[in-house]
Amino acid sequence: MRLCDIVDIKSAFMKKTDLSEEEIQTIIDDIPTAFDGDKVVEQLEEKDSDCEDFGTCNYCQRYWCPRTLIDRDDAIDIVKAGGILN
């Protein structure tokens, strides 16, 4: 999967088809979103934990630190899914 700029997609369709801009926009609007940045951030925030939940901080070696952590594998899964949960 890759992200594409919708303006580039519309331009390519307009050059290669006889469809109007409105028809192209309707087709594009009917395609489900593959990546939702707001949802990714929301899901990352739901999964994060304060450092103290994990015991001694590996970063600063204090029992409590002001950092917020998220499991790397959880973060990768959320970003790869693009915020779209199946």
Side-chain angles (χ1 to χ4, degrees):
M1 175 181 51
R2 64 187 185 129
L3 301 177
C4 300
D5 188 329
I6 199 70
V7 174
D8 294 336
I9 293 171
K10 284 170 72 171
S11 296
F13 267 95
M14 291 179 75
K15 289 177 186 174
K16 297 184 184 237
T17 69
D18 292 331
L19 296 173
S20 70
E21 186 172 352
E22 293 78 24
E23 291 170 315
I24 294 169
Q25 187 63 52
T26 300
I27 293 168
I28 290 169
D29 289 343
D30 288 341
I31 300 170
T33 301
F35 189 93
D36 186 332
D38 292 333
K39 289 281 188 180
V40 169
V41 171
E42 180 182 313
Q43 290 171 22
L44 288 171
E45 288 174 343
E46 287 173 3
K47 285 275 191 180
D48 70 12
S49 299
D50 289 334
C51 185
E52 65 185 327
D53 293 342
F54 293 95
T56 302
C57 175
N58 290 328
Y59 182 79
C60 65
Q61 301 303 313
R62 294 185 294 187
Y63 180 72
W64 182 91
C65 81
R67 300 184 190 289
T68 301
L69 304 176
I70 183 169
D71 181 75
R72 181 179 58 179
D73 291 336
D74 287 344
I76 289 170
D77 290 344
I78 290 169
V79 172
K80 279 185 174 181
I84 310 301
L85 298 175
N86 296 325

Coordinates of all heavy atoms in Angstrom, one line a residue:
M1 N 0.8 -1.2 0.0 CA 0.0 0.0 0.0 C 0.9 1.2 0.0 O 1.9 1.3 0.6 CB -0.9 0.0 1.2 CG -1.7 1.3 1.3 SD -2.8 1.4 2.8 CE -1.8 1.1 4.2
R2 N 0.4 2.3 -0.7 CA 1.1 3.5 -0.6 C 0.1 4.7 -0.6 O -1.0 4.5 -1.1 CB 2.1 3.7 -1.8 CG 1.4 3.7 -3.2 CD 2.5 3.7 -4.3 NE 1.8 3.9 -5.5 CZ 2.1 4.7 -6.5 NH1 3.1 5.6 -6.3 NH2 1.4 4.8 -7.6
L3 N 0.5 5.8 -0.1 CA -0.4 6.9 -0.1 C -0.2 7.8 -1.3 O 0.9 7.9 -1.8 CB -0.1 7.8 1.1 CG -0.2 7.1 2.5 CD1 0.2 8.1 3.6 CD2 -1.6 6.6 2.7
C4 N -1.3 8.3 -1.8 CA -1.3 9.1 -3.1 C -2.0 10.4 -2.8 O -3.0 10.5 -2.0 CB -2.0 8.4 -4.2 SG -1.2 6.8 -4.6
D5 N -1.6 11.5 -3.4 CA -2.2 12.7 -3.3 C -3.5 12.7 -4.2 O -3.4 12.4 -5.4 CB -1.3 13.8 -3.8 CG -1.8 15.2 -3.5 OD1 -3.1 15.4 -3.6 OD2 -1.0 16.1 -3.3
I6 N -4.6 13.0 -3.7 CA -5.9 12.9 -4.4 C -5.9 13.9 -5.6 O -6.5 13.6 -6.6 CB -7.1 13.2 -3.4 CG1 -8.4 12.7 -4.0 CG2 -7.2 14.6 -3.1 CD1 -8.4 11.2 -4.1
V7 N -5.2 15.0 -5.5 CA -5.2 16.0 -6.6 C -4.5 15.3 -7.8 O -4.9 15.5 -9.0 CB -4.5 17.3 -6.2 CG1 -4.3 18.2 -7.4 CG2 -5.3 18.0 -5.1
D8 N -3.4 14.6 -7.5 CA -2.7 13.9 -8.6 C -3.5 12.8 -9.3 O -3.5 12.6 -10.5 CB -1.4 13.3 -8.1 CG -0.4 14.3 -7.7 OD1 -0.5 15.5 -8.1 OD2 0.5 14.0 -6.8
I9 N -4.3 12.1 -8.4 CA -5.2 11.1 -9.0 C -6.3 11.7 -9.8 O -6.5 11.2 -11.0 CB -5.8 10.3 -7.8 CG1 -4.7 9.5 -7.1 CG2 -6.9 9.3 -8.3 CD1 -5.2 8.8 -5.8
K10 N -6.9 12.7 -9.4 CA -7.9 13.4 -10.2 C -7.3 13.9 -11.5 O -8.0 13.8 -12.5 CB -8.5 14.6 -9.3 CG -9.5 14.1 -8.3 CD -9.9 15.2 -7.3 CE -10.8 16.2 -8.0 NZ -11.4 17.1 -7.0
S11 N -6.2 14.5 -11.4 CA -5.6 15.0 -12.7 C -5.3 13.9 -13.7 O -5.6 14.1 -14.9 CB -4.2 15.8 -12.3 OG -4.5 16.9 -11.5
A12 N -4.8 12.8 -13.2 CA -4.5 11.7 -14.1 C -5.8 11.1 -14.7 O -5.8 10.8 -15.9 CB -3.8 10.6 -13.3
F13 N -6.8 11.0 -13.9 CA -8.1 10.6 -14.5 C -8.7 11.5 -15.5 O -9.2 11.1 -16.5 CB -9.1 10.4 -13.3 CG -9.2 9.0 -12.8 CD1 -8.5 8.6 -11.7 CD2 -10.0 8.0 -13.4 CE1 -8.5 7.4 -11.1 CE2 -10.0 6.7 -12.9 CZ -9.3 6.4 -11.8
M14 N -8.5 12.8 -15.2 CA -9.1 13.8 -16.2 C -8.3 13.8 -17.5 O -8.9 14.0 -18.5 CB -9.1 15.2 -15.5 CG -10.1 15.3 -14.4 SD -10.1 16.9 -13.5 CE -10.9 17.9 -14.7
K15 N -7.0 13.5 -17.4 CA -6.2 13.5 -18.7 C -6.5 12.2 -19.5 O -6.5 12.3 -20.7 CB -4.7 13.5 -18.3 CG -4.3 14.8 -17.8 CD -2.8 14.7 -17.5 CE -2.3 16.0 -16.8 NZ -1.0 15.9 -16.3
K16 N -6.9 11.1 -18.8 CA -7.0 9.8 -19.5 C -8.4 9.4 -19.7 O -8.6 8.3 -20.3 CB -6.2 8.8 -18.7 CG -4.7 9.1 -18.7 CD -3.9 8.0 -18.1 CE -2.5 8.5 -18.0 NZ -1.6 7.7 -18.6
T17 N -9.4 10.1 -19.2 CA -10.8 9.7 -19.4 C -11.7 10.9 -19.9 O -11.2 12.0 -19.8 CB -11.4 9.1 -18.1 OG1 -11.6 10.2 -17.2 CG2 -10.6 8.0 -17.6
D18 N -12.9 10.6 -20.2 CA -13.8 11.7 -20.6 C -14.7 12.0 -19.4 O -15.7 12.7 -19.6 CB -14.7 11.2 -21.8 CG -13.8 11.1 -23.1 OD1 -12.9 11.8 -23.2 OD2 -14.2 10.3 -23.9
L19 N -14.4 11.5 -18.2 CA -15.3 11.7 -17.1 C -15.1 13.2 -16.6 O -14.0 13.7 -16.7 CB -14.9 10.8 -15.9 CG -15.1 9.3 -16.2 CD1 -14.5 8.5 -15.0 CD2 -16.6 9.0 -16.3
S20 N -16.2 13.7 -16.1 CA -16.1 15.1 -15.5 C -15.4 15.1 -14.2 O -15.3 14.0 -13.5 CB -17.5 15.7 -15.4 OG -18.2 15.0 -14.3
E21 N -15.0 16.2 -13.7 CA -14.3 16.3 -12.4 C -15.3 15.8 -11.3 O -14.9 15.1 -10.3 CB -13.9 17.7 -12.1 CG -13.1 17.8 -10.8 CD -12.5 19.2 -10.6 OE1 -12.5 20.0 -11.5 OE2 -11.9 19.4 -9.5
E22 N -16.6 16.1 -11.4 CA -17.6 15.7 -10.4 C -17.7 14.2 -10.4 O -17.8 13.5 -9.4 CB -18.9 16.4 -10.7 CG -19.0 17.9 -10.5 CD -18.3 18.7 -11.6 OE1 -18.3 18.2 -12.8 OE2 -17.9 19.8 -11.4
E23 N -17.7 13.6 -11.6 CA -17.8 12.1 -11.7 C -16.6 11.4 -11.1 O -16.7 10.4 -10.3 CB -18.0 11.7 -13.2 CG -19.3 12.0 -13.8 CD -19.3 11.8 -15.3 OE1 -18.3 12.2 -16.0 OE2 -20.3 11.3 -15.8
I24 N -15.4 12.0 -11.3 CA -14.2 11.4 -10.8 C -14.2 11.6 -9.2 O -13.9 10.6 -8.5 CB -13.0 12.1 -11.3 CG1 -12.8 11.8 -12.8 CG2 -11.7 11.8 -10.6 CD1 -11.8 12.7 -13.6
Q25 N -14.7 12.7 -8.8 CA -14.8 12.9 -7.3 C -15.7 12.0 -6.7 O -15.5 11.4 -5.6 CB -15.2 14.4 -7.0 CG -15.1 14.7 -5.5 CD -13.7 14.6 -5.0 OE1 -12.8 15.2 -5.5 NE2 -13.5 13.9 -3.9
T26 N -16.8 11.7 -7.3 CA -17.8 10.7 -6.8 C -17.2 9.3 -6.7 O -17.4 8.6 -5.7 CB -19.1 10.6 -7.7 OG1 -19.7 11.9 -7.7 CG2 -20.1 9.6 -7.2
I27 N -16.4 8.9 -7.7 CA -15.7 7.6 -7.7 C -14.8 7.6 -6.5 O -14.7 6.6 -5.7 CB -15.0 7.4 -9.0 CG1 -16.1 7.2 -10.1 CG2 -14.1 6.2 -8.9 CD1 -15.5 7.2 -11.5
I28 N -14.0 8.6 -6.4 CA -13.0 8.7 -5.3 C -13.6 8.7 -3.9 O -13.2 8.0 -3.0 CB -12.1 10.0 -5.5 CG1 -11.2 9.8 -6.7 CG2 -11.3 10.2 -4.2 CD1 -10.5 11.0 -7.1
D29 N -14.7 9.4 -3.8 CA -15.4 9.4 -2.5 C -16.0 8.1 -2.1 O -16.1 7.8 -0.9 CB -16.6 10.5 -2.5 CG -16.1 11.9 -2.5 OD1 -14.9 12.1 -2.2 OD2 -16.9 12.8 -2.9
D30 N -16.3 7.2 -3.1 CA -16.8 5.9 -2.8 C -15.7 4.9 -2.4 O -16.1 3.8 -1.9 CB -17.5 5.3 -4.0 CG -18.9 6.0 -4.3 OD1 -19.4 6.7 -3.4 OD2 -19.4 5.9 -5.4
I31 N -14.5 5.2 -2.5 CA -13.4 4.3 -2.2 C -13.1 4.5 -0.7 O -12.9 5.6 -0.2 CB -12.1 4.6 -3.0 CG1 -12.3 4.5 -4.5 CG2 -10.9 3.8 -2.5 CD1 -11.2 5.0 -5.3
P32 N -13.1 3.4 0.1 CA -12.8 3.5 1.5 C -11.4 4.1 1.8 O -10.5 3.9 1.1 CB -12.9 2.1 2.1 CG -13.3 1.2 0.9 CD -13.2 2.0 -0.3
T33 N -11.3 4.8 2.9 CA -10.1 5.4 3.3 C -9.1 4.3 3.7 O -9.4 3.4 4.5 CB -10.3 6.4 4.5 OG1 -11.2 7.4 4.1 CG2 -9.0 7.0 5.0
A34 N -7.8 4.4 3.2 CA -6.8 3.4 3.5 C -6.0 3.9 4.7 O -5.3 3.0 5.4 CB -5.9 3.2 2.3
F35 N -5.9 5.2 5.0 CA -5.1 5.7 6.1 C -5.7 6.9 6.7 O -6.1 7.8 6.0 CB -3.7 6.0 5.6 CG -2.7 6.3 6.7 CD1 -1.9 5.4 7.2 CD2 -2.6 7.6 7.2 CE1 -1.0 5.6 8.2 CE2 -1.7 7.9 8.2 CZ -0.9 6.9 8.7
D36 N -6.0 6.8 8.0 CA -6.6 7.9 8.7 C -5.7 8.4 9.8 O -5.6 7.8 10.8 CB -8.0 7.5 9.2 CG -8.8 8.6 9.8 OD1 -8.1 9.6 10.3 OD2 -10.0 8.5 9.8
G37 N -5.0 9.5 9.5 CA -4.0 10.0 10.4 C -4.5 10.3 11.8 O -3.9 10.1 12.8
D38 N -5.7 10.9 11.8 CA -6.4 11.2 13.1 C -6.7 10.0 13.9 O -6.5 9.9 15.1 CB -7.7 12.0 12.9 CG -7.4 13.4 12.3 OD1 -6.3 14.0 12.5 OD2 -8.3 13.9 11.6
K39 N -7.1 8.9 13.2 CA -7.4 7.7 13.9 C -6.1 7.0 14.4 O -6.1 6.4 15.5 CB -8.1 6.7 13.0 CG -9.5 7.1 12.7 CD -10.4 6.7 13.9 CE -11.9 6.9 13.5 NZ -12.7 6.5 14.6
V40 N -5.0 7.1 13.7 CA -3.7 6.6 14.1 C -3.3 7.3 15.4 O -3.0 6.6 16.4 CB -2.6 6.8 13.0 CG1 -1.3 6.5 13.6 CG2 -2.9 5.9 11.8
V41 N -3.4 8.6 15.5 CA -3.0 9.3 16.7 C -3.9 8.9 17.8 O -3.5 8.7 19.0 CB -3.1 10.8 16.4 CG1 -2.9 11.6 17.7 CG2 -2.0 11.3 15.4
E42 N -5.2 8.8 17.6 CA -6.2 8.4 18.6 C -5.8 7.1 19.2 O -5.8 6.9 20.4 CB -7.6 8.4 18.0 CG -8.7 8.0 19.0 CD -10.0 8.0 18.3 OE1 -10.4 9.0 17.5 OE2 -10.8 7.0 18.4
Q43 N -5.6 6.1 18.3 CA -5.2 4.7 18.8 C -3.9 4.7 19.5 O -3.8 4.0 20.5 CB -5.3 3.8 17.6 CG -6.6 3.6 17.0 CD -6.6 2.8 15.7 OE1 -5.7 2.1 15.5 NE2 -7.7 2.9 15.0
L44 N -2.9 5.5 19.1 CA -1.7 5.5 19.8 C -1.9 6.1 21.2 O -1.3 5.6 22.1 CB -0.7 6.4 19.0 CG -0.1 5.8 17.7 CD1 0.7 6.8 16.9 CD2 0.7 4.5 18.0
E45 N -2.7 7.1 21.3 CA -2.9 7.7 22.6 C -3.7 6.8 23.5 O -3.5 6.8 24.7 CB -3.7 9.0 22.5 CG -2.9 10.1 21.9 CD -3.6 11.4 21.6 OE1 -4.9 11.4 21.5 OE2 -3.0 12.5 21.4
E46 N -4.6 5.9 23.0 CA -5.3 4.9 23.8 C -4.3 3.9 24.3 O -4.6 3.3 25.4 CB -6.4 4.3 22.9 CG -7.6 5.2 22.7 CD -8.5 4.5 21.7 OE1 -8.4 3.3 21.3 OE2 -9.5 5.2 21.3
K47 N -3.3 3.5 23.6 CA -2.4 2.5 24.0 C -1.2 2.9 24.8 O -0.5 2.1 25.4 CB -1.8 1.8 22.7 CG -2.7 0.9 22.0 CD -2.7 -0.5 22.6 CE -3.4 -1.4 21.7 NZ -3.4 -2.8 22.3
D48 N -1.0 4.2 25.0 CA 0.2 4.7 25.7 C 0.0 4.5 27.2 O -1.1 4.3 27.7 CB 0.6 6.1 25.3 CG -0.4 7.1 25.9 OD1 -1.2 6.8 26.7 OD2 -0.3 8.3 25.4
S49 N 1.1 4.4 27.9 CA 1.1 4.3 29.3 C 2.2 5.2 29.9 O 3.2 5.5 29.3 CB 1.5 2.8 29.7 OG 0.5 1.9 29.2
D50 N 2.0 5.6 31.2 CA 3.0 6.4 31.8 C 4.2 5.4 32.1 O 4.0 4.2 32.4 CB 2.5 7.0 33.1 CG 1.5 8.1 32.9 OD1 1.6 8.7 31.8 OD2 0.6 8.3 33.7
C51 N 5.3 6.0 32.1 CA 6.6 5.2 32.3 C 6.5 4.4 33.6 O 7.0 3.3 33.7 CB 7.8 6.1 32.3 SG 9.4 5.3 32.4
E52 N 5.9 5.0 34.7 CA 5.9 4.4 36.0 C 5.2 3.0 36.0 O 5.4 2.1 36.8 CB 5.3 5.3 37.0 CG 3.9 5.6 36.8 CD 3.3 6.6 37.8 OE1 3.8 6.6 38.9 OE2 2.4 7.4 37.4
D53 N 4.3 2.8 35.0 CA 3.6 1.6 34.9 C 4.5 0.4 34.5 O 4.2 -0.8 34.7 CB 2.5 1.6 33.8 CG 1.4 2.6 34.2 OD1 1.3 2.9 35.4 OD2 0.6 3.0 33.3
F54 N 5.7 0.7 34.0 CA 6.6 -0.3 33.6 C 7.7 -0.5 34.6 O 8.7 -1.3 34.4 CB 7.3 0.0 32.2 CG 6.3 0.0 31.1 CD1 5.6 1.1 30.7 CD2 6.0 -1.2 30.5 CE1 4.7 1.1 29.7 CE2 5.1 -1.3 29.5 CZ 4.4 -0.1 29.1
G55 N 7.7 0.2 35.8 CA 8.8 0.0 36.7 C 9.9 1.1 36.5 O 9.6 2.2 36.0
T56 N 11.1 0.7 36.7 CA 12.2 1.7 36.5 C 12.3 2.0 35.0 O 12.4 1.1 34.2 CB 13.5 1.1 37.0 OG1 13.4 0.7 38.4 CG2 14.7 2.0 36.8
C57 N 12.4 3.3 34.7 CA 12.6 3.8 33.4 C 13.9 3.4 32.8 O 15.0 3.7 33.4 CB 12.4 5.3 33.4 SG 12.6 6.0 31.7
N58 N 13.9 2.7 31.7 CA 15.2 2.4 31.0 C 15.9 3.6 30.4 O 17.1 3.5 30.2 CB 14.9 1.3 29.9 CG 14.5 0.0 30.5 OD1 15.0 -0.4 31.5 ND2 13.7 -0.7 29.8
Y59 N 15.1 4.6 30.2 CA 15.7 5.8 29.6 C 16.5 6.7 30.6 O 17.6 7.0 30.4 CB 14.6 6.6 28.8 CG 15.2 7.8 28.1 CD1 15.8 7.7 26.9 CD2 15.1 9.1 28.7 CE1 16.3 8.8 26.3 CE2 15.6 10.2 28.1 CZ 16.2 10.1 26.8 OH 16.7 11.1 26.2
C60 N 15.8 7.0 31.7 CA 16.4 7.9 32.6 C 16.8 7.2 33.9 O 17.3 7.9 34.8 CB 15.5 9.1 32.9 SG 13.9 8.6 33.7
Q61 N 16.5 5.9 34.1 CA 16.9 5.1 35.2 C 16.2 5.6 36.5 O 16.7 5.4 37.6 CB 18.4 5.1 35.4 CG 19.2 4.5 34.2 CD 18.7 3.1 33.9 OE1 18.6 2.3 34.8 NE2 18.4 2.8 32.6
R62 N 15.1 6.3 36.4 CA 14.3 6.7 37.6 C 13.1 5.7 37.7 O 12.6 5.2 36.7 CB 13.9 8.1 37.5 CG 15.0 9.1 37.5 CD 14.5 10.5 37.6 NE 13.8 10.8 36.3 CZ 13.4 12.0 36.0 NH1 13.5 13.0 36.8 NH2 12.8 12.2 34.8
Y63 N 12.6 5.6 38.9 CA 11.4 4.8 39.0 C 10.2 5.5 38.3 O 9.4 4.9 37.7 CB 11.0 4.4 40.5 CG 9.8 3.6 40.5 CD1 9.8 2.2 40.1 CD2 8.6 4.1 40.9 CE1 8.7 1.5 40.2 CE2 7.4 3.3 40.9 CZ 7.5 2.0 40.5 OH 6.3 1.3 40.5
W64 N 10.1 6.7 38.5 CA 9.0 7.5 37.9 C 9.7 8.5 37.0 O 10.6 9.2 37.3 CB 8.2 8.2 38.9 CG 7.1 9.0 38.3 CD1 5.8 8.5 38.0 CD2 7.1 10.3 37.8 NE1 5.0 9.4 37.4 CE2 5.8 10.6 37.2 CE3 8.0 11.3 37.7 CZ2 5.4 11.8 36.6 CZ3 7.7 12.5 37.1 CH2 6.4 12.7 36.6
C65 N 9.2 8.7 35.8 CA 9.6 9.7 34.9 C 8.4 10.3 34.1 O 7.4 9.6 34.1 CB 10.7 9.3 34.0 SG 10.2 8.4 32.5
P66 N 8.5 11.5 33.6 CA 7.4 12.1 33.0 C 7.1 11.6 31.5 O 6.2 12.1 30.9 CB 7.8 13.6 32.9 CG 9.2 13.6 32.9 CD 9.7 12.4 33.7
R67 N 7.8 10.6 31.1 CA 7.7 10.2 29.7 C 6.4 9.3 29.6 O 6.0 8.6 30.5 CB 8.9 9.4 29.3 CG 10.1 10.2 29.3 CD 11.3 9.5 28.8 NE 12.5 10.2 29.0 CZ 12.9 11.3 28.4 NH1 12.1 11.9 27.5 NH2 14.0 11.9 28.7
T68 N 5.9 9.2 28.4 CA 4.8 8.4 28.0 C 5.3 7.3 27.1 O 6.0 7.6 26.1 CB 3.6 9.2 27.4 OG1 3.2 10.1 28.3 CG2 2.5 8.2 27.1
L69 N 5.0 6.1 27.3 CA 5.5 5.0 26.5 C 4.4 4.2 25.8 O 3.3 4.2 26.3 CB 6.3 4.0 27.4 CG 7.4 4.5 28.2 CD1 8.0 3.4 29.1 CD2 8.5 5.1 27.3
I70 N 4.8 3.6 24.7 CA 3.9 2.7 24.0 C 4.7 1.5 23.5 O 5.9 1.7 23.1 CB 3.1 3.3 22.9 CG1 2.1 2.4 22.2 CG2 4.1 3.9 21.8 CD1 1.1 3.0 21.2
D71 N 4.2 0.3 23.6 CA 4.9 -0.8 23.1 C 5.2 -0.7 21.6 O 4.3 -0.3 20.8 CB 4.1 -2.1 23.4 CG 4.8 -3.3 22.9 OD1 5.7 -3.8 23.6 OD2 4.4 -3.9 21.8
R72 N 6.4 -0.9 21.2 CA 6.8 -0.7 19.8 C 6.0 -1.5 18.9 O 5.6 -1.0 17.8 CB 8.3 -1.0 19.6 CG 8.8 -0.7 18.2 CD 10.2 -1.0 18.0 NE 10.5 -2.4 18.4 CZ 11.7 -2.9 18.4 NH1 12.7 -2.2 18.0 NH2 11.9 -4.2 18.7
D73 N 5.8 -2.8 19.2 CA 5.0 -3.6 18.3 C 3.5 -3.1 18.2 O 3.0 -3.2 17.1 CB 5.0 -5.1 18.8 CG 6.3 -5.7 18.7 OD1 7.1 -5.3 17.8 OD2 6.6 -6.7 19.4
D74 N 3.0 -2.6 19.3 CA 1.6 -2.1 19.2 C 1.6 -0.8 18.3 O 0.7 -0.7 17.5 CB 1.1 -1.6 20.6 CG 0.7 -2.8 21.5 OD1 0.6 -3.9 20.9 OD2 0.6 -2.6 22.7
A75 N 2.6 0.0 18.4 CA 2.7 1.2 17.6 C 2.9 0.9 16.1 O 2.2 1.4 15.3 CB 3.9 2.1 18.0
I76 N 3.7 -0.1 15.8 CA 3.9 -0.5 14.4 C 2.6 -1.1 13.9 O 2.2 -0.7 12.7 CB 5.0 -1.6 14.3 CG1 6.4 -0.9 14.6 CG2 5.0 -2.3 13.0 CD1 7.5 -1.9 14.8
D77 N 1.9 -1.9 14.6 CA 0.6 -2.5 14.1 C -0.4 -1.4 13.8 O -1.1 -1.4 12.8 CB 0.0 -3.4 15.2 CG 0.8 -4.7 15.3 OD1 1.6 -5.0 14.3 OD2 0.6 -5.5 16.3
I78 N -0.5 -0.4 14.7 CA -1.4 0.7 14.5 C -1.1 1.5 13.3 O -2.0 1.8 12.5 CB -1.5 1.6 15.8 CG1 -2.1 0.9 17.0 CG2 -2.2 3.0 15.5 CD1 -2.0 1.6 18.3
V79 N 0.2 1.9 13.1 CA 0.6 2.7 11.9 C 0.4 1.9 10.6 O -0.1 2.4 9.7 CB 2.0 3.1 12.1 CG1 2.5 3.8 10.8 CG2 2.1 4.1 13.2
K80 N 0.8 0.6 10.7 CA 0.6 -0.3 9.5 C -0.9 -0.4 9.1 O -1.2 -0.4 7.9 CB 1.1 -1.7 9.7 CG 2.6 -1.7 9.5 CD 3.1 -3.2 9.6 CE 4.5 -3.3 9.3 NZ 4.9 -4.8 9.4
A81 N -1.8 -0.4 10.1 CA -3.2 -0.5 9.8 C -3.8 0.8 9.3 O -4.9 0.9 8.8 CB -4.0 -1.0 11.0
G82 N -3.0 1.9 9.5 CA -3.5 3.2 9.0 C -4.6 3.8 9.8 O -5.4 4.6 9.3
G83 N -4.8 3.3 11.0 CA -6.0 3.8 11.8 C -7.3 3.1 11.5 O -8.3 3.3 12.1
I84 N -7.2 2.2 10.5 CA -8.4 1.5 10.0 C -8.4 0.1 10.7 O -7.6 -0.7 10.3 CB -8.5 1.4 8.5 CG1 -8.2 2.7 7.8 CG2 -9.8 0.7 8.0 CD1 -9.2 3.8 8.2
L85 N -9.3 -0.1 11.6 CA -9.4 -1.4 12.3 C -10.4 -2.3 11.5 O -11.4 -1.9 11.1 CB -9.9 -1.2 13.7 CG -9.0 -0.4 14.6 CD1 -9.7 -0.2 16.0 CD2 -7.7 -1.0 14.8
N86 N -9.9 -3.5 11.3 CA -10.7 -4.5 10.6 C -11.5 -5.3 11.6 O -11.2 -5.6 12.6 CB -9.9 -5.4 9.8 CG -9.2 -4.7 8.7 OD1 -9.7 -3.7 8.1 ND2 -8.0 -5.1 8.3

